[in-house]
């Protein structure tokens, strides 16, 4: 086994991991940084983000507005002190990215342009056509090349953390091209491994989004917070789940049912007006839009397609020229994957799983309860998304908290003595034996793909847009069964070079743990809030009992233990989430009562 | 449902360096539906027919750049190429041409990464600016000057299409030269003089014989051939100026 000594090791080369690496390098060029990623960094799923990144830009906007949109959007389950910190830093970070070369779309006079996004009161979404994540990721990756202290471990798969003397002291990885193990020792570890959307059947996520880092931290005793909150995006491609960005609606797209009717006006989001109005109709928040789809389906007002019920995303009135300029990628997706010309025909869409609001429990400085372990990005729960993330907050999160994690991990690494290589090595060898065992054992009979499919199906059945105790319980039971069957998994491929079947088995085991944390947290939240909506007697939000964060604790060979932590309220006491005309009325009343 | 009983044959070039002397072809019959991409076909093989088949993929939406393969001899993104365009004929998939095969459909792309790192693919500011001063102003026209060249997803289809790269692996090649051009054309950047040394060097633009196949296969309309050729002009200009100005005269 190779040993590499770093000061800070970062697992994840997406937006959060790259931003963290640059922050470490800038805070002290003498620190050795190991940046581990199971794919080349520019393949990370940040690349797929289309719409944009939030940061207050217009004179008519304010940090308070961004704060209120975020906290209200999150149904008051946000850490308000962390949100305050966040909104105050978004624009500076987005400007930093501009200085690094990000091709933000511009206004005629050369300033960065901003667009409307769901649940946001004022236009504050910075965008680079409809490839924002792609441009952010490539800008960060290319900029990271400037820093000689960043040593990349591309296509290295992290299989465990090493924890000694009660603190995280490194990671164990497999070089995919050779199957060789490496121990990377470090004073501190940052996990930036992204979300876990692929535990669900239809999703917008890439194949790499399997919750690895969440499972790693979880197995080492770090709680996963708010895992029951999984965001469905309302406008995805039937069958594959590929995303049609919310920017389609920000630019003025309509959602219509089989009668051509803009049905959102029936769900407290109206009135329907010909042009987009912020926080109303198509620009309402995602949870509400996905829920409205579900009701339309119940009422038989959706269209039946080969991959289930759909509604239409109608962009025709925007015209080909505007579509090509503002939504070029969407245009091509519709044309190539669906054979639909969006300037001529409406696009069939349905909701699909999109984003994991919960994650590794960290404080506002990205520090987890395990000393030396930090987390940033979608894998973490720093507290800004609450029960429902607002679109375009997460790309900004990668930058703001990627930087914080980098700086804090650098500071921590400098404060600790080097670890004991011999005992770390011993631990790493035990990890190697365990992980190799998955591949070398014979006689297994369960196919990886079958287990994965059953997991994804049961998550959709039990933890979908609407939830019932009975089906959630079934999902919990099914996951127990799948975990038991996993012990009998068969890895046919015994080779060392590019053995992706072996890696898929390891990922599946991560996914089963993460899925369990979601299903059990969901079952035990007996209320409806944000993305967690129940139809079995708990239809209302229940602040008296559930204005608190769930925390799932790993239990070997058993279901997770769920307990709860407090929610930090600074200036926004829980209110009613209202959108459309009702939202505007509620806000006027709130203002009047403060005046 | 009769639709689901249709099958299509996918012929895959297999190679495992631990057991095989040379690559060989293997044919699989895969259930076919109208909306399946070639990637989905290959995934079906891995999931249900042969778990040892290796290939790269992630986003499924033609943006992460992982899934390039030769499909019936043409460099293509497998997630954006559809089986219906071949059905009922057999379709053949192989690792991208001109690269060493690591295993099955996985190529070794370290060489490309080194080239990308070598061209200083980051802003070298023309004039420094603090965050407090806000963004650099850049008009839509200035953005337009490089935007297309910034859309490269590093899928390497253009390298698999490039006859020169086929002959000379040191040729910097279409995507890396395009990225270099992208930074040179950015109104915020002042690093052109440094970068042009690479373009002028032996492995730079003059390797290109203007075949143009790279632009044809590019899934993102980056038009690398255009970028390379614009650099030939710039490079020739540099070369010429060098005789007039002793210091290299890029300015
Ligand atoms: C289709 C789509 C569109 C989106 N659009 C928007 C938008 O418009 N605005 C917005 O704000 N948000 C958007 N989001 C959400 C946002 O893009 C993601 O939350 C964010 O990009 C996640 O970034 P990350 O750095 O946390 O993780 P990722 O970019 O997913 O990176 C994870 C990294 O971890 C590495 N990794 C994982 N496991 C391991 C392991 N075991 N070993 C080694 N490395 C590992 C991977 O290789 C990768 O480098 C969108 C999401 C999707 C799916
Ligand atoms: S220039 Fe086009 S073909 Fe070449 S790597 Fe970039 S996106 Fe791919
Ligand atoms: S899977 Fe990402 S480009 Fe094809």
């Amino acid at each position: 086994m190779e040993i590499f000594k770093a000061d800070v090791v970062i697992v994840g080369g997406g937006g959060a991991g790259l931003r963290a690496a640059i922050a470490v390098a800038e805070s002290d060029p003498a620190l050795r940084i190991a940046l581990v990623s199971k794919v080349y960094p520019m393949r990370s799923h940040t690349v797929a983000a289309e719409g944009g990144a939030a940061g207050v830009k217009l004179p008519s906007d304010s940090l308070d507005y961004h704060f209120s949109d975020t906290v209200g959007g999150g149904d008051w389950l946000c850490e308000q002190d962390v949100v305050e910190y966040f909104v105050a830093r978004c624009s500076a970070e987005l400007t930093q990215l501009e200085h690094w070369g990000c091709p933000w779309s511009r206004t005629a006079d050369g300033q960065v342009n901003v667009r409307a996004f769901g649940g946001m009161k004022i236009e504050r979404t910075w965008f680079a056509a409809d490839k924002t994540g792609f441009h952010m990721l490539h800008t960060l990756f290319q900029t990271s090349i400037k820093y000689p202290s960043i040593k990349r471990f591309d296509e290295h798969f992290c299989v465990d953390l090493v924890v000694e003397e009660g603190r995280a002291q490194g990671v164990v990885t497999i070089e995919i091209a050779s199957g060789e193990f490496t121990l990377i020792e470090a004073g501190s570890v940052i996990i930036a491994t992204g979300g876990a959307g692929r535990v669900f059947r239809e999703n917008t996520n890439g194949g790499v989004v399997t919750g690895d880092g969440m499972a790693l931290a979880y197995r080492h005793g770090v709680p996963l917070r708010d895992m029951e909150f999984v965001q469905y995006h309302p406008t995805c491609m039937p069958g594959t789940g590929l995303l049609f960005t919310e920017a389609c609606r920000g630019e003025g797209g309509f959602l219509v049912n089989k009668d051509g009717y803009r049905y959102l006006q029936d769900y407290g989001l109206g009135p329907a007006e010909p042009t987009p109005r912020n926080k109303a109709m198509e620009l309402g928040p995602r949870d509400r839009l996905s829920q409205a789809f579900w009701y339309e389906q119940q009422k038989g007002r959706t269209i039946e397609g080969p991959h289930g019920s759909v509604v239409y995303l109608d962009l025709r009135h925007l015209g080909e020229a505007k579509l090509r300029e503002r939504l070029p990628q969407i245009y091509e997706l519709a044309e190539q994957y669906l054979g639909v010309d969006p300037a001529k025909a409406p696009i069939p869409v349905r909701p699909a799983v999109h984003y994991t609001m919960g994650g590794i429990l960290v404080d506002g400085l990205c520090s987890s309860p395990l000393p030396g372990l930090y987390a940033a990005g979608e894998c973490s729960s720093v507290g800004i998304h609450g029960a429902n993330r607002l679109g375009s907050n997460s790309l900004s999160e990668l930058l703001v908290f990627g930087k914080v994690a980098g700086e804090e991990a650098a500071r921590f690494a400098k404060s600790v003595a080097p670890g004991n290589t011999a005992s770390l090595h011993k631990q790493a060898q035990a990890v190697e034996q365990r992980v190799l065992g998955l591949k070398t054992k014979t006689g297994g009979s369960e196919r990886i793909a079958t287990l994965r499919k059953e997991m994804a199906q049961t998550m959709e059945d039990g933890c979908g847009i609407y939830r019932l105790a009975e089906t959630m319980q079934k999902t919990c039971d099914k996951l127990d069964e799948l975990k038991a069957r996993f012990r009998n998994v068969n890895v046919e491929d015994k080779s060392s070079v590019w053995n992706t079947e072996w890696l898929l088995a390891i990922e599946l085991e991560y996914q089963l743990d993460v899925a369990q944390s979601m299903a059990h947290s969901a079952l035990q939240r007996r209320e409806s809030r944000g993305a967690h909506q129940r139809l079995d007697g708990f239809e209302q939000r229940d602040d008296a009992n559930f204005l608190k964060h769930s925390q799932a604790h790993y239990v070997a060979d058993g279901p997770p233990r769920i307990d709860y932590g407090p929610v930090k309220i600074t200036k926004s006491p829980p209110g009613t989430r209202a959108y459309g005309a009702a939202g505007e009325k509620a806000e006027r009343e709130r203002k009047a009562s403060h005046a | 449902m009769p639709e689901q009983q249709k099958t299509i044959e996918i012929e895959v070039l297999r190679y495992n360096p631990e057991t095989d002397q040379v690559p060989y072809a293997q044919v699989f019959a895969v259930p076919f539906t109208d909306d399946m991409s070639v990637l989905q076909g290959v995934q079906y093989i891995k999931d249900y027919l042969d778990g040892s088949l290796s290939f790269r993929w992630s986003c499924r939406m033609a943006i992460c750049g992982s899934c390039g393969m030769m499909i019936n001899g043409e460099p293509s993104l497998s997630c954006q190429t559809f089986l219906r365009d071949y059905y009922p004929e057999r379709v053949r998939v192989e690792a991208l041409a001109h690269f060493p095969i690591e295993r099955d459909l996985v190529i070794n792309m370290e060489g490309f990464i080194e080239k990308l790192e070598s061209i200083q693919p980051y802003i070298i500011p023309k004039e420094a600016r603090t965050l407090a001063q806000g963004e650099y102003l850049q008009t839509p026209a200035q953005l337009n000057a490089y935007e297309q060249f910034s859309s490269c997803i590093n899928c390497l289809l253009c390298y698999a299409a490039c006859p020169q790269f086929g002959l000379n692996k040191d040729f910097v090649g279409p995507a890396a030269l395009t990225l270099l051009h992208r930074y040179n054309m950015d109104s915020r950047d002042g690093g052109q003089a440094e970068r042009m040394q690479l373009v002028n060097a032996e492995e730079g633009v003059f390797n290109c014989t203007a075949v143009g196949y790279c632009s044809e296969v590019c899934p993102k309309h980056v038009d690398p051939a255009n970028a390379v050729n614009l650099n030939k002009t710039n490079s020739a200009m540099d070369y010429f100026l060098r005789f007039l100005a002793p210091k290299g005269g890029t300015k």
Side-chain angles (χ1 to χ4, degrees):
Chain A
M1 179 180 307
E2 300 252 340
I3 299 181
F4 182 85
K5 290 182 198 267
D7 294 296
V8 179
V9 59
I10 301 166
V11 185
L18 287 165
R19 185 65 189 88
I22 294 173
V24 179
E26 294 207 322
S27 75
D28 184 346
L31 292 175
R32 294 156 303 173
I33 303 154
L35 180 61
V36 180
S37 175
K38 64 181 176 181
V39 291
Y40 280 100
M42 68 282 192
R43 314 295 191 212
S44 305
H45 204 55
T46 296
V47 80
E50 298 167 355
V56 168
K57 179 92 174 72
L58 300 181
S60 55
D61 199 1
S62 75
L63 296 180
D64 256 350
Y65 287 160
H66 191 184
F67 171 90
S68 304
D69 288 345
T70 302
V71 171
D75 223 349
W76 279 271
L77 202 66
C78 304
E79 293 294 277
Q80 295 188 5
D81 53 342
V82 182
V83 176
E84 286 181 47
Y85 178 93
F86 168 68
V87 298
R89 279 160 187 79
C90 290
S91 297
E93 273 301 310
L94 293 167
T95 304
Q96 176 65 76
L97 218 62
E98 195 278 336
H99 288 193
W100 285 335
C102 189
W104 296 118
S105 295
R106 305 283 174 156
T107 58
D109 64 354
Q111 296 200 34
V112 171
N113 202 357
V114 284
R115 68 164 38 133
F117 233 68
M120 299 279 191
K121 180 182 165 72
I122 308 277
E123 293 77 0
R124 67 170 76 94
T125 296
W126 302 39
F127 62 102
D130 58 356
K131 297 181 191 172
T132 308
F134 162 82
H135 281 302
M136 286 177 58
L137 185 67
H138 280 250
T139 301
L140 285 166
F141 173 59
Q142 290 161 13
T143 302
S144 78
I145 291 169
K146 260 197 328 205
Y147 302 91
S149 57
I150 302 176
K151 156 98 177 127
R152 289 202 322 270
F153 290 77
D154 294 341
E155 300 197 320
H156 279 62
F157 187 104
C158 179
V159 289
D160 212 344
L161 313 174
V162 283
V163 178
E164 269 269 306
E165 296 162 345
R167 64 183 170 91
Q169 299 204 26
V171 301
V172 182
T173 67
I174 301 172
E175 181 183 47
I176 300 176
S178 66
E180 298 289 333
F181 284 76
T182 303
L183 163 65
I184 303 177
E185 288 180 34
S188 56
V189 179
I190 302 174
I191 298 186
T193 49
R198 290 196 70 88
V199 302
F200 283 81
R201 192 179 65 89
E202 254 180 334
N203 64 74
T204 65
N205 289 187
V208 296
V209 190
T210 47
D212 305 8
M214 293 178 185
L216 289 175
Y218 181 50
R219 291 174 189 174
H220 283 276
V222 178
L224 298 181
R225 181 165 74 180
D226 293 340
M227 291 302 285
E228 62 271 42
F229 299 102
V230 176
Q231 180 169 82
Y232 269 78
H233 196 295
T235 56
C236 304
M237 197 182 291
T240 56
L242 296 179
L243 178 71
F244 294 106
T245 171
E246 192 159 295
C248 297
R249 287 167 281 131
E251 297 295 345
F254 296 148
L255 276 174
V256 299
N257 64 17
K258 74 172 195 229
D259 307 318
Y261 174 67
R262 290 173 68 196
Y263 59 89
L264 294 174
Q265 58 193 293
D266 295 356
Y267 301 93
L269 290 156
E273 286 168 357
T275 50
R277 195 144 65 110
N278 295 337
K279 296 182 79 167
M281 289 299 288
E282 284 83 0
L283 290 179
R286 290 179 183 170
D287 53 345
R288 291 290 171 82
L289 266 59
S290 296
Q291 289 151 17
F293 170 88
W294 188 91
Y295 280 110
E296 285 294 292
Q297 189 179 13
Q298 300 299 308
K299 293 179 192 161
R301 302 205 298 197
T302 49
I303 304 111
E304 290 320 302
H307 298 286
S309 313
V310 302
V311 289
Y312 285 131
L313 174 64
D314 194 347
L315 304 175
R316 287 175 295 182
H317 54 290
L318 300 177
E320 177 168 351
K322 181 163 182 184
L323 292 175
R324 294 253 185 231
E325 183 212 329
R326 293 298 191 92
L327 303 166
Q329 181 171 234
I330 293 308
Y331 210 115
E332 285 190 2
L333 270 179
E335 277 187 315
Q336 288 168 351
Y337 289 73
L338 291 173
V340 169
D341 178 346
K344 300 211 174 80
I347 307 172
V349 293
R350 54 182 273 116
V353 161
H354 184 55
Y355 188 85
T356 327
M357 262 77 74
I360 301 167
L361 168 64
V362 292
D363 63 18
L365 296 175
C366 300
S367 171
S368 84
L370 175 63
L373 186 72
Y374 296 80
E378 192 171 336
C379 69
S380 70
S381 169
V382 73
I384 64 169
H385 303 308
N388 173 55
R389 168 190 76 118
L390 286 195
S392 78
N393 265 351
S394 44
L395 286 176
S396 304
E397 173 187 22
L398 306 181
L399 303 173
V400 171
F401 292 103
K403 180 177 181 205
V404 172
E407 288 173 350
E408 289 301 310
R411 198 184 48 69
F412 186 89
K414 291 204 273 193
S415 75
V416 292
N420 176 340
T421 300
S423 60
L424 294 176
H425 193 205
K426 216 168 124 200
Q427 255 198 60
Q429 279 169 325
V431 171
E432 177 173 8
Q433 286 318 309
R434 174 171 53 79
V435 175
L436 278 174
L438 194 57
K439 177 171 79 168
T440 50
K441 83 177 164 83
T442 50
S445 59
E446 292 285 355
R447 270 205 99 78
I448 295 170
T450 308
L451 297 178
R452 192 175 58 221
K453 226 175 155 172
E454 288 184 29
M455 168 190 70
Q457 186 62 51
T458 194
M459 288 306 285
E460 178 172 289
D461 294 345
C463 298
I465 298 176
Y466 281 101
R467 300 168 172 181
L468 303 164
E470 195 193 331
T471 47
M472 282 188 280
Q473 184 61 55
K474 270 197 202 146
T475 297
C476 292
D477 298 343
K478 179 76 186 178
L479 291 171
D480 285 344
E481 175 206 313
L482 291 172
K483 282 189 84 164
R485 283 166 60 194
F486 181 84
R487 290 195 206 108
N488 195 23
V489 76
N490 177 29
V491 179
E492 294 169 10
D493 189 347
K494 307 292 180 202
S495 57
S496 308
V497 173
W498 267 94
N499 186 339
T500 49
E501 192 186 22
W502 179 34
L503 303 182
L504 284 171
I506 302 171
E507 284 177 349
L508 175 60
E509 203 175 6
Y510 291 146
Q511 288 180 304
L512 287 168
D513 281 346
V514 172
Q516 246 190 347
S517 74
M518 289 172 169
H520 285 268
S521 304
L523 182 60
Q524 296 193 28
R525 182 173 287 277
R526 286 183 292 280
E527 65 155 355
S528 291
R529 183 185 298 270
H532 176 73
Q533 292 292 321
R534 298 184 60 146
L535 292 174
D536 53 354
F538 303 107
E539 287 81 355
Q540 301 303 317
R541 195 174 82 193
D542 175 2
D543 286 336
N545 293 303
F546 282 100
L547 183 57
K548 53 193 186 184
H549 297 292
S550 67
Q551 299 179 157
H553 301 260
Y554 180 74
V555 176
D557 298 319
R561 180 172 59 80
I562 310 292
D563 61 14
Y564 294 88
V567 175
K568 177 84 177 175
I569 309 269
T570 56
K571 58 184 185 190
S572 173
T576 326
R577 276 179 86 204
Y579 293 90
E584 282 163 27
K585 178 158 169 276
E587 192 175 308
R588 274 196 305 277
E589 284 167 7
R590 214 168 16 232
K591 274 198 188 134
S593 74
H594 281 354
Chain B
M1 300 220 285
E3 257 239 311
Q4 264 152 12
Q5 283 145 22
K6 290 186 196 165
T7 58
I8 184 167
E9 282 185 345
I10 303 184
E11 176 185 324
V12 187
L13 191 72
R14 303 297 306 269
Y15 175 65
N16 178 348
E18 291 165 79
T19 52
D20 306 325
Q21 297 286 332
V22 286
Y24 64 97
Q26 192 178 2
V27 181
F28 298 92
V30 171
F32 165 84
T33 56
D34 232 22
D35 54 1
M36 269 172 86
S37 63
V38 173
L39 175 65
Q40 285 173 308
V42 176
Q43 285 172 324
Y44 183 91
I45 297 173
K46 183 165 189 73
D47 283 350
Y48 299 108
L49 305 177
D50 184 344
S52 71
L53 180 64
S54 287
F55 49 95
R56 293 187 177 103
W57 67 281
S58 179
C59 71
R60 311 171 285 141
M61 52 186 280
I63 192 75
C64 77
S66 307
C67 70
M69 300 172 193
M70 304 302 283
I71 302 180
N72 276 6
E74 259 184 59
S76 317
L77 290 182
S78 56
C79 69
Q80 200 190 22
T81 307
F82 293 87
L83 289 172
R84 60 175 177 260
D85 295 331
Y86 305 91
Y87 184 84
E89 303 300 317
R90 174 189 288 187
V91 53
R92 179 166 42 93
V93 299
E94 301 156 313
L96 280 182
H98 303 156
F99 291 93
I101 300 182
E102 288 197 337
R103 175 167 178 183
D104 295 334
L105 303 170
V106 177
I107 53 148
N108 183 324
M109 56 178 279
E110 262 318 295
F112 169 74
I113 295 291
E114 281 162 24
K115 287 169 189 168
L116 183 141
E117 289 170 342
S118 76
I119 56 121
Q120 303 186 317
Y122 36 81
I123 295 283
I124 300 171
K126 195 186 279 171
E127 67 195 61
R129 201 173 169 88
T130 63
L131 288 183
Q133 289 172 292
E135 74 256 50
Y136 290 90
L137 293 183
Q138 185 168 66
T139 62
Q142 287 171 322
L143 172 65
N144 206 23
Y146 72 90
E147 192 182 15
Q148 173 183 27
F149 304 122
S150 72
S151 301
C152 167
I153 61 173
N154 300 346
C155 66
L156 308 186
L157 301 192
C158 51
Y159 286 77
C162 174
Q164 277 314 109
F165 177 65
L167 296 172
N168 173 11
K169 297 289 180 274
D170 293 330
F171 174 35
V172 180
L177 282 170
T178 302
L179 190 63
L180 172 147
H181 186 62
R182 170 253 178 275
Y183 280 101
N184 285 349
M185 290 298 105
D186 192 314
S187 58
R188 297 165 288 192
D189 185 85
Q192 177 158 9
E194 282 173 54
R195 290 191 201 99
M196 284 314 273
Q197 287 168 13
L198 190 80
V199 185
N200 298 340
E202 212 143 295
E203 313 307 347
V205 280
F206 289 108
N207 253 282
C208 168
T209 52
V211 174
Y213 190 29
C214 56
S215 287
E216 230 172 90
V217 300
C218 175
K220 292 286 147 186
H221 320 295
V222 175
D223 201 357
N226 185 20
V228 172
N229 280 303
L230 287 168
N231 269 297
K232 277 189 187 161
T233 326
N234 289 344
S235 222
M237 189 76 95
D238 268 14
Y239 187 73
F240 174 69
L241 289 172
R242 217 176 318 218
F243 290 101
L244 303 176
K247 275 205 232 123
T250 30
K251 282 279 143 67

